[in-house]
């Protein structure tokens, strides 16, 4: 019997992945990763993730160590199934009218409305004194710190130091469930996560995700950004929920846009060679996103129904398939994200 590993369908290309956070919208990233893992010629060198992106990254790496790409795909499905199962008992549910109309929003849910008002007036230290987090037990079951430390894929997880407002990037040997919870810690909902005596909030305030460690510490020269927070919206928000949603998108995209602008500028001025500027300039950037995210507001990030997660997963797979058809041959050759659009401030 021939037990040799099949040869890749084309010459291998090393890639990095940059995964944004966004609550249950991270299931779209699950779908993208699920499709990319089917390509044996794509070699994942490093992953930078924040919030839900950090959890996708850690679960993928854990499964990859256990059983390669198929293990990574199975691990991500198991994680999101557990998220959906836990959400079955959550008071945050769609209204009967929303279900009838096929809307995924929680905007009309009385519990969500009360929850939002309380979060703006009551500290999570008072509202949730026991520091309960619904994902802590799930992460304990889904990842093993020893496997993450041994992973051939480099992990970079960002959280924001409360004391300084600066981001800290955690690497494989440092990553545990508490680090992932810190990366996803929205300060109006959860108590700050303490790690080594330092309090941390959501990494999206400092990098969503952080590109810097991929440039400095990865051998890959192609980074695929999976972006789930829309950069542009044509209509001006009018009601309170729309304004809150757009503020959230702007705040959590700002650090990423600054890094993309820096890459674009360095491409124009960096000298070839071994300088750090040259490494930044040499990074080939790509992006996978979905127009569906323009239709979904902030409240749907808290909707973890299995049907909704599967809808997002399937959309992620479609967008990854579209990217591979249109730009698969560009990987290893040229950028497909037009970085020049990030240079000039309007």
């Amino acid at each position: 019997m021939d037990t040799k590993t099949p040869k890749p369908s084309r010459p291998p290309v090393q890639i990095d992945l940059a995964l944004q956070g966004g609550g249950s919208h991270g299931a779209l990233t699950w779908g993208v990763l699920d499709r990319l893992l089917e390509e044996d010629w794509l070699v994942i060198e490093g992953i930078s993730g924040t919030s839900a992106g950090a959890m996708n990254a850690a679960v993928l790496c854990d499964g990859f160590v256990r059983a390669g790409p198929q293990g990574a795909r199975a691990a991500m499905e198991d994680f999101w199934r557990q998220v959906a199962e836990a959400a079955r008992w959550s008071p945050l549910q769609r209204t009967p009218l929303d279900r009838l109309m096929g809307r995924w929003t929680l905007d009309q849910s009385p519990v969500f409305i009360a929850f939002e008002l309380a979060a703006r007036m009551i500290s999570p230290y008072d509202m949730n004194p026991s520091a309960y987090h619904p994902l802590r037990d799930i992460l304990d079951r889904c990842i093993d710190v020893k496997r993450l430390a041994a992973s051939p894929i480099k992990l970079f997880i960002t959280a924001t130091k409360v004391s300084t407002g600066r981001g800290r990037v955690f690497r494989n040997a440092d990553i545990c469930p508490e680090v992932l919870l810190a990366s996803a810690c929205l300060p109006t909902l959860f108590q700050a996560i303490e790690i080594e005596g330092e309090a941390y909030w959501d990494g999206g305030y400092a990098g969503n995700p952080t590109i810097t460690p991929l440039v400095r510490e990865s051998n890959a020269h192609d980074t695929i950004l999976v972006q789930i927070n829309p950069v542009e919206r044509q209509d001006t928000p009018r009601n309170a929920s729309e304004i809150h949603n757009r503020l959230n998108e702007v705040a959590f995209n700002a650090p990423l846009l600054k890094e993309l602008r820096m890459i674009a500028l360095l491409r124009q001025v960096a000298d070839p060679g071994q300088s750090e500027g040259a490494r930044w300039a040499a990074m080939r950037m790509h992006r996978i996103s979905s127009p569906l995210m323009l239709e979904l507001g902030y409240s749907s990030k808290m909707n973890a129904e299995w049907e909704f997660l599967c809808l997002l997963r399937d959309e992620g797979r479609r967008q990854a398939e579209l990217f591979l058809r249109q730009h698969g041959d560009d990987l290893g050759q040229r950028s497909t994200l037009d970085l020049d659009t990030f240079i000039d401030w309007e």
Side-chain angles (χ1 to χ4, degrees):
M1 179 183 297
D2 185 2
T3 59
K4 293 181 180 179
T5 302
K7 291 183 178 180
S9 56
R10 55 177 279 189
V13 175
Q14 287 185 320
I15 61 168
D16 290 328
L17 298 168
L19 311 180
Q20 277 200 324
S24 64
H25 291 184
L28 182 122
T29 302
W30 164 32
V32 170
L33 299 176
D34 189 68
R35 177 63 186 89
L36 295 180
L37 284 164
E38 293 178 348
E39 298 297 321
D40 55 7
W41 57 276
L42 290 177
V43 180
I44 302 174
E45 172 75 8
I47 309 178
S48 178
T50 298
S51 192
M55 296 181 189
N56 273 319
V59 171
L60 181 155
C61 285
D62 186 279
F64 192 91
V65 173
R66 282 183 285 159
Q70 292 303 317
R73 296 177 65 199
M76 286 190 294
E77 177 169 353
D78 178 58
F79 169 76
W80 286 103
R81 280 189 180 277
Q82 291 195 46
V83 169
E85 182 61 26
R88 289 179 58 190
W89 314 109
S90 169
L92 293 171
Q93 301 287 342
R94 288 185 295 161
T95 65
L97 179 60
D98 286 327
R99 293 177 185 274
L100 182 64
M101 300 295 292
R103 297 189 296 240
W104 299 106
T105 178
L106 300 179
D107 287 348
Q108 308 305 316
S109 165
V111 175
F112 176 78
I113 294 171
F115 191 73
E116 278 287 280
L117 290 173
R120 298 178 191 186
M121 300 176 63
I122 304 173
S123 163
Y125 291 84
D126 298 322
M127 189 162 55
N128 183 15
S130 64
Y132 169 74
H133 199 299
L135 291 177
R136 182 175 276 109
D137 291 341
I138 294 175
L139 291 170
D140 281 335
R141 292 191 294 268
C142 289
I143 66 168
D144 181 277
V145 294
K146 292 182 179 179
R147 281 196 292 266
L148 293 184
S151 172
I153 300 173
K154 297 174 183 176
L155 274 178
F156 306 102
I157 305 303
T158 302
T160 304
K161 282 188 178 182
V162 177
S163 60
T164 65
R166 297 175 62 184
R168 174 179 171 183
V169 177
F170 294 86
R171 291 159 177 82
N172 294 61
D174 304 316
I175 296 170
C176 61
E178 290 302 298
V179 166
L180 299 175
L181 293 178
S183 184
C185 180
L186 291 172
T188 58
L189 301 182
F190 302 106
Q191 295 184 25
I193 303 295
E194 287 201 8
I195 300 171
E196 299 172 351
E198 186 79 46
Y200 291 91
W201 281 340
D202 195 297
Y205 297 112
N208 191 23
T210 304
I211 304 296
T212 301
L214 298 177
V215 175
R216 290 179 171 176
E217 303 177 39
S218 172
N219 294 321
H221 295 291
D222 287 77
T223 294
I224 300 176
L225 167 66
V226 183
Q227 192 161 22
I228 58 179
N229 292 307
V231 174
E232 296 183 11
R233 286 185 184 270
Q234 297 303 314
D235 297 330
T236 301
R238 300 290 183 181
N239 62 46
S241 63
E242 290 174 347
I243 293 170
H244 181 67
N245 177 58
R246 189 58 185 148
L247 280 172
N248 180 277
E249 291 172 349
V250 170
F252 282 98
N253 275 327
L256 170 66
L257 295 180
K258 288 182 178 179
E259 284 193 297
L260 294 177
R261 182 172 185 265
M262 182 169 64
I263 295 175
L265 289 170
L266 286 171
R267 282 187 173 180
Q268 296 184 354
V269 302
D271 294 326
Q274 300 301 316
S275 68
E276 179 163 343
R279 289 182 63 86
W280 279 91
M283 178 64 76
R284 294 182 287 264
M285 292 297 304
H286 315 271
R287 177 168 61 191
I288 298 176
S289 59
S290 169
L292 175 63
M293 310 318 284
L294 289 169
E295 303 173 18
L296 301 175
Y298 168 75
S299 68
S300 64
K301 293 180 179 181
M302 297 187 181
N303 182 353
E305 296 174 56
W306 180 243
E307 185 181 0
F308 182 48
L309 299 181
C310 288
L311 179 148
L312 291 169
R313 177 204 60 196
D314 294 345
E315 174 64 10
R317 283 187 56 87
R318 278 192 294 270
Q319 293 304 321
E321 176 65 32
L322 179 63
F323 172 82
L324 290 170
R325 285 205 309 267
Q326 293 181 341
H327 301 299
D329 290 339
D330 294 314
L331 290 170
Q333 301 297 322
R334 62 189 65 83
S335 290
T336 58
L337 176 60
D338 185 4
L339 294 173
D340 290 339
T341 60
F342 298 102
I343 293 179
D344 296 324
W345 300 101
E346 294 183 0

